[in-house]
Amino acid sequence: MELEDSDPASPMNISTPITQQPPPQASSSPPRGLLDSDPLGVAIAVDTANAPADIRAGLGHIAQSHNVPYFVRQSETAAEWSVSFEHAGDMAAGTYEVRSAAAGAHLVVRYSRRIDAFRALGQILTAARAAELAAAAGDASSESLKAPGFRIEETAQFETLALMIDCSRNGVLAVDSVCAMLRQMALMGYNMLQLYTEDTYRVEGEPFFGYLRGGYSQAELRAIDDYADALGIEVVPCIQTLGHLGQMLQWPRYAGLRDTNEVILSKLPETYALLERLIATVSAPLRSRRIHIGMDEAYGVGEGRFRALFGTHEGTAIFVEHLARVHELCKARGLRPMIWSDMLFCLAAKNNALYAYYDQSNNPAEAFNKVEGIPPDIDLVFWDYYHTLPEIYTRKIIQHRELGCDNPWVASAAWTWSRLWCYLPFSFESNRASLSAAKSPAGRVSSFMLTIWGDEGNECDFFSALPVMLYVANHAYTDRAEIDVGFMENSFAAICGGSLGDWMYACRIDEIPSLGDSPDMRSQLPSNMSKWILWEDPMLSFMSPQYDTLDLESHYTQIADRLLGCALTSAPGGRYPLNRLLRMPGLLARALSLKCHLRDNLVRPYRAGDRSALLQTAETRLRPLIEAHRELWLYHRSRWMRIYKPFGWETLELRYGGLMARLSTMYDRIIAYSLKQPCTSLRRSRAIGVTAGVRSRRQSASQDLPSTISAFGCDEDYDNGLWRKPAPLLPPDPDPLSSVYSSNGSGIGSLGEEDDSIIDSIPELDEDLHCIYENSYTSLLLDYARVTTPSRLG
């Protein structure tokens, strides 16, 4: 499609999602966007009955299930565009065209590859959206919708445009979710899907391979492959055959196959017998004769039990020998393997750090010339998710060629790992650089892969990566270096059913608010501040000095208001049904707005000895926070069960449960201190339905305390110092340490008498906090274990 020059201030070129206001127009009626409630102005009728047989079923899948109902007549006034398809054997592979027939409203798609027919349909949807927008803005009459006089012609820049989805890091996509992703991929132009499955596929006779992890059965993989084939997409197995096998190796059944906790033991015959079964199992239900055998990040290969059994061997030689044996297993089944290439660079540099992979001066060609080398029919996949300069990618592509791989793959990423929402701005930046290199004369490759990873719990909704998928696909069908932001907005609305501006705005949950004239604090790698503020211990809040000079409360309140408003106004039959997914970052922002400065707000009245103010803060900030976390947990649970298999949710639910327990303990202790009551009395009073506390000892100013809304939504008020309604923050059960309650209410348990003493201090609030990462503010990428406690366990 012909594209206008891109706006240099567009979200495609910048690292912060700033919404650009449209310039003023000279027309009498001001332009406006299309609202979710606006009726569609175009209805698209796809001639599936007369379509070529090899795309007929796929067209039916899309027409029946598309997010935005362009394929259903919306009103009597909607203009109908009819679309027919012709396979053109004379067209170059990867080229397609859409042209208007003589009838005016009839569009003909001519294509060579099946995937290009579906890409063409996606561009027709985009054109329909653009025409509607022009009519709404007054730039074109509504009559022009009835005669679309445009022509679209595109040529794919890559033979293979692949998407890899992580189904091993705690979350396994349900089959329906895979099919939904496949429909989006087809409309964008992806012709390969790889499901990354370390141990999440079932192997007969191996019950502990993927034990209780929700692995795909043969029938499920076959169903996915059939559905993908109808859409012109090849499904390629993506497994591990050296490192990243810790999930399997943790079980006693596989103890004899361990080199290290993560790396399988090479040289051992039993190892290759198992790998042969894995390769046979995962490839059997799929049409593809290609397979990704992994082998990345196999740090410590040859340094564990291997050394004890076989002595000291050079790491490069171990790797190459193991690769050759696995290669033979693939060849025996007619499979062409590919591997991640990082270990070739790390082993040559004798450095396990990722830096060795990206070090521009590290060229492993010389080291691998000293051994047998890499079989020529093994494809190398160069992965880099971090850099924003094309020349860095180009140099590494050249080094792969010097290794003997004339046509390496390039793999980029959507930033979905260690966060709850895909960080789109940096994803656009890094992908722009890698795609520019992959399309350049010096770095030209024929295969490009976008990866979606779910490390460290897989908290992120993978569908939040749809804008990155679309950006990469649009880049893959033009030789230009930039993608027009208006084109992206229309594509995302028409193909996916979301508002790109709103989805970009959601990324602000991981962005530092403006510091005025202060220097830009964004680190090279995007922060995941929303994740670590969510999971940090609320009582200790030892990460809060990183942001104590920032007004995160206003920052997150603003985000929550907008995103929850977008989700609320999104309707299933509207223009932006996918905006409902913004509820997740919206609920997260609401919880963070209450949590971010909570400890500071409690420390001030506590150290001032103002128990009344401390009580009010606990009631007006801490209790709403408990409910906000509860609502976030419930929504996250419902979303997980919708898109993933249930296995793995226990990991996140334990996190939510631990956090809510800490908040409840925090609340109990602060209330007990404020009312000069023991915590046991508070628990017992709740258990018999009195309240979270008895009569408070407030000063004369206490009547100024406002009415509040409880954490569970009921109105509460203060009357003569007594809360009239219960606050069921804990279940009304006896204390678990007490087996008998005496007549005076004191509990005696097997561990001794309960402590009924009055709480006269809160030691956690007496401690001064210190900044751990000086000058970094919130520009940090931290995992769950780092922020939940300052203690190292073990």
Side-chain angles (χ1 to χ4, degrees), residues 1 87-97 110-117 119-120 152-161 188-189 191 473 476-478:
M1 178 177 284
H87 181 265
D90 59 333
M91 295 189 78
T95 299
Y96 76 86
E97 67 173 9
R110 300 182 71 247
Y111 66 95
S112 58
R113 303 183 306 172
R114 289 190 296 155
I115 190 59
D116 297 321
R119 165 78 184 181
I152 304 170
E153 184 173 343
E154 288 186 321
T155 299
Q157 301 298 299
F158 305 106
E159 292 177 14
T160 302
L161 180 61
M188 295 176 190
N191 60 352
Y477 275 84
T478 179

Side-chain angles (χ1 to χ4, degrees), residues 18-285:
I18 299 172
T19 302
Q20 299 293 324
Q21 296 297 324
Q25 303 290 316
S27 60
S28 56
S29 57
R32 72 172 183 87
L34 294 171
L35 304 178
D36 186 76
S37 57
D38 285 341
L40 298 180
V42 175
I44 298 175
V46 178
D47 185 7
T48 56
N50 296 309
D54 58 354
I55 64 171
R56 193 177 302 150
L59 291 174
H61 292 326
I62 291 173
Q64 293 168 15
S65 306
H66 190 59
N67 286 337
V68 185
Y70 277 108
F71 298 107
V72 179
R73 183 181 297 279
Q74 294 297 295
S75 69
E76 293 297 327
T77 60
E80 182 173 301
W81 295 4
S82 61
V83 183
S84 62
F85 294 83
E86 297 177 2
H87 181 265
D90 59 333
M91 295 189 78
T95 299
Y96 76 86
E97 67 173 9
V98 180
R99 53 182 172 80
S100 299
H106 180 65
L107 301 172
V108 178
V109 176
R110 300 182 71 247
Y111 66 95
S112 58
R113 303 183 306 172
R114 289 190 296 155
I115 190 59
D116 297 321
F118 297 107
R119 165 78 184 181
L121 185 57
Q123 296 312 292
I124 291 172
L125 289 168
T126 302
R129 159 81 183 191
E132 291 174 313
L133 191 62
D139 295 338
S141 68
S142 59
E143 290 298 314
S144 65
L145 294 175
K146 299 178 181 179
F150 59 81
R151 176 174 175 172
I152 304 170
E153 184 173 343
E154 288 186 321
T155 299
Q157 301 298 299
F158 305 106
E159 292 177 14
T160 302
L161 180 61
L163 178 71
M164 189 228 76
I165 303 176
D166 186 350
C167 295
S168 292
R169 309 299 174 79
N170 201 52
V172 178
L173 277 180
V175 173
D176 285 347
S177 296
V178 176
C179 292
M181 194 69 84
L182 285 166
R183 292 192 297 272
Q184 298 293 305
M185 291 171 61
L187 290 171
M188 295 176 190
Y190 288 85
N191 60 352
M192 179 183 288
L193 172 66
Q194 296 190 15
L195 296 175
Y196 177 73
T197 50
E198 293 173 355
D199 66 328
T200 47
Y201 54 99
R202 296 181 186 176
V203 180
E204 187 176 355
E206 299 292 340
F208 285 96
F209 184 82
Y211 184 50
L212 297 177
R213 295 252 291 149
Y216 292 113
S217 67
Q218 293 281 290
E220 287 174 322
L221 289 174
R222 192 172 295 109
I224 290 170
D225 192 57
D226 288 345
Y227 199 91
D229 183 68
L231 294 164
I233 297 172
E234 177 185 5
V235 179
V236 173
C238 184
I239 63 173
Q240 287 290 355
T241 56
L242 183 58
H244 284 299
L245 288 173
Q247 290 286 350
M248 176 192 77
L249 295 174
Q250 68 176 311
W251 303 116
R253 179 184 179 94
Y254 302 108
L257 301 184
R258 292 182 200 139
D259 181 1
T260 69
N261 288 338
E262 290 290 330
V263 179
I264 202 167
L265 184 59
S266 60
K267 273 190 176 292
L268 203 68
E270 293 85 348
T271 292
Y272 298 100
L274 175 63
L275 293 180
E276 183 177 20
R277 294 182 64 200
L278 300 186
I279 291 168
T281 297
V282 77
S283 62

Side-chain angles (χ1 to χ4, degrees), residues 314-445:
E314 205 276 323
T316 301
I318 297 172
F319 184 90
V320 170
E321 179 185 346
H322 180 74
L323 176 60
R325 294 191 66 172
V326 177
H327 174 236
E328 289 301 317
L329 298 178
C330 295
K331 280 179 62 178
R333 297 197 166 269
L335 299 171
R336 180 184 177 103
M338 64 183 78
I339 65 169
W340 307 108
S341 66
D342 54 296
M343 287 306 295
L344 304 178
F345 289 78
C346 293
L347 288 170
K350 299 184 181 347
N351 185 344
N352 282 338
L354 200 56
Y355 170 78
Y357 189 25
Y358 301 128
D359 181 2
Q360 295 290 290
S361 64
N362 177 24
N363 190 338
E366 182 178 346
F368 279 89
N369 285 336
K370 296 177 182 178
V371 294
E372 277 193 38
I374 303 164
D377 58 341
I378 292 181
D379 294 321
L380 300 184
V381 183
F382 162 49
W383 58 276
D384 186 341
Y385 316 144
Y386 308 99
H387 294 99
T388 56
L389 297 176
E391 53 268 28
I392 294 177
Y393 295 87
T394 302
R395 176 58 187 151
K396 280 297 171 185
I397 292 171
I398 293 172
Q399 288 180 354
H400 280 71
R401 293 195 175 113
E402 292 170 352
L403 268 172
C405 181
D406 292 334
N407 194 15
W409 289 52
V410 173
S412 65
W415 273 71
T416 48
W417 62 96
S418 290
R419 61 191 67 243
L420 282 84
W421 187 257
C422 180
Y423 191 67
L424 303 177
F426 191 83
S427 299
F428 290 145
E429 276 193 276
S430 57
N431 275 283
R432 177 183 178 275
S434 59
L435 284 158
S436 296
K439 296 192 296 184
S440 69
R444 170 71 66 176
V445 298

Side-chain angles (χ1 to χ4, degrees), residues 562-786:
R562 173 165 171 177
L563 297 184
L564 292 176
C566 290
L568 184 65
T569 57
S570 174
R575 289 183 172 276
Y576 308 113
L578 216 65
N579 268 17
R580 285 174 292 169
L581 301 190
L582 296 173
R583 188 177 172 191
M584 180 70 190
L587 290 174
L588 174 60
R590 189 173 72 178
L592 298 183
S593 72
L594 294 164
K595 186 181 182 183
C596 57
H597 300 299
L598 176 62
R599 186 182 187 276
D600 291 341
N601 291 331
L602 293 170
V603 164
R604 282 192 293 271
Y606 169 76
R607 294 188 181 181
D610 189 345
R611 297 190 186 221
S612 177
L614 184 63
L615 179 67
Q616 183 175 6
T617 302
E619 285 299 313
T620 59
R621 295 292 297 270
L622 183 49
R623 294 190 65 194
L625 172 60
I626 294 172
E627 174 58 17
H629 274 296
R630 181 176 181 273
E631 190 173 355
L632 177 62
W633 157 60
L634 291 174
Y635 178 76
H636 198 170
R637 183 179 69 182
S638 67
R639 183 66 185 152
W640 180 284
M641 298 302 172
R642 184 180 180 89
I643 63 176
Y644 299 108
K645 295 187 176 186
F647 303 93
W649 174 246
E650 73 281 355
T651 300
L652 299 188
E653 194 145 67
L654 287 169
R655 294 181 183 181
Y656 278 112
L659 178 58
M660 288 190 286
R662 286 292 290 159
L663 288 168
S664 294
T665 297
M666 186 179 184
Y667 176 84
D668 275 351
R669 293 178 62 209
I670 289 172
I671 294 299
Y673 171 82
S674 301
L675 300 177
K676 298 185 179 179
Q677 296 288 328
C679 278
T680 53
S681 296
L682 300 181
R683 285 198 299 271
R684 285 194 292 274
S685 65
R686 280 204 299 279
I688 63 174
V690 177
T691 180
V694 294
R695 190 175 304 276
S696 65
R697 306 170 190 268
R698 293 176 293 151
Q699 302 299 323
S700 58
S702 62
Q703 61 265 25
D704 295 330
L705 287 172
S707 297
T708 62
I709 302 297
S710 81
F712 289 80
C714 61
D715 292 325
E716 292 191 330
D717 57 13
Y718 297 88
D719 183 14
N720 297 322
L722 184 68
W723 283 285
R724 293 297 184 185
K725 295 184 179 179
L729 300 179
L730 291 176
D733 297 324
D735 191 298
L737 296 181
S738 300
S739 57
V740 178
Y741 278 87
S742 64
S743 58
N744 65 2
S746 62
I748 305 296
S750 59
L751 299 183
E753 186 174 357
E754 278 200 63
D755 183 6
D756 267 340
S757 59
I758 302 297
I759 295 179
D760 58 4
S761 69
I762 304 175
E764 295 96 326
L765 300 185
D766 287 320
E767 293 287 336
D768 291 328
L769 300 183
H770 306 280
C771 186
I772 299 171
Y773 305 97
E774 294 185 3
N775 303 318
S776 293
Y777 291 85
T778 58
S779 299
L780 298 165
L781 190 61
L782 303 174
D783 62 17
Y784 172 80
R786 173 64 280 175

